[in-house]
Amino acid sequence: MPETSFTDDLKHMVRHTADRAREHLASVQNGMQPALANMRALPKATKIKIGASAAAIVLFVGGLALRGNTPTTIIDSPPVRTSDVRPAPAETRQAARNYAVGKAEQKNGSYRAAAESYANSARQGNKKALTKLVAMTHAKKCEARSEAADALGTLRSKKAKVALKKLARAKFKDEPRNPGIFSCSSRRAAQKALERQVRG
């Protein structure tokens, strides 16, 4: 049995593939000739319409291909009224902006975000923000009171400490006297915030 080298096998494969490609191309050309003959026989107006349609399809497909997937940015912040953004003389613009964002978030029921915004604003010198946090400790919902307590725990203020002490002793209709581990308890949140202030 004669041995063939790799190059001989490669030459044979290339020659065989080229022959098959030529045969296939010839059959395609033979099949296209009647179609091209039919195209030549069409009236000039029809040829123009077909050409324009083909060009429109190419442009449409090309436009889709070039367009790509550009991610749209979704802003997930609540709307803020511009009247809330005007800074008072004693506070910075950022403090006023944080206060306005906090008000909008509180209206939307995002109590944690609202409490954080109020706390940031209070740290920047906005006295209204501290008052808003203290007012949140008297809210009807336990979640709002708890988030306010957490935010007040981060502030070093006599007013915050007094509000937390009152909240730790308060009783609310929506909280059981002995809340479970997973139930909402603004009293427990206030006690933890007071402990955090003491640890400093």
Side-chain angles (χ1 to χ4, degrees), residues 42-63:
L42 291 174
K44 187 175 183 178
T46 307
K47 288 180 194 176
I48 292 174
K49 289 176 187 175
I50 292 172
S53 298
I57 290 171
V58 168
L59 283 175
F60 179 73
V61 170

Side-chain angles (χ1 to χ4, degrees), residues 37-105:
N38 288 341
M39 283 286 287
R40 286 189 198 118
L42 291 174
K44 187 175 183 178
T46 307
K47 288 180 194 176
I48 292 174
K49 289 176 187 175
I50 292 172
S53 298
I57 290 171
V58 168
L59 283 175
F60 179 73
V61 170
L64 286 178
L66 293 176
R67 188 175 120 219
N69 291 338
T70 54
T72 57
T73 55
I74 299 173
I75 299 172
D76 194 25
S77 61
V80 177
R81 291 191 321 229
T82 55
S83 63
D84 294 337
V85 180
R86 278 191 227 121
E91 63 189 46
T92 65
R93 288 187 187 281
Q94 188 61 37
R97 195 171 294 123
N98 282 335
Y99 179 77
V101 169
K103 270 178 78 173
E105 288 169 336

Side-chain angles (χ1 to χ4, degrees), residues 133-159:
L133 270 176
V134 171
M136 277 180 74
T137 62
H138 304 291
K140 290 181 180 180
K141 292 188 176 182
C142 177
E143 182 186 359
R145 294 189 303 267
S146 297
E147 297 301 340
D150 287 342
L152 285 170
T154 64
L155 301 174
R156 305 278 178 245
S157 163
K158 186 176 181 180
K159 193 173 183 179

Side-chain angles (χ1 to χ4, degrees), residues 68 78 97 130 151 172:
R97 195 171 294 123
L130 182 60
F172 297 96

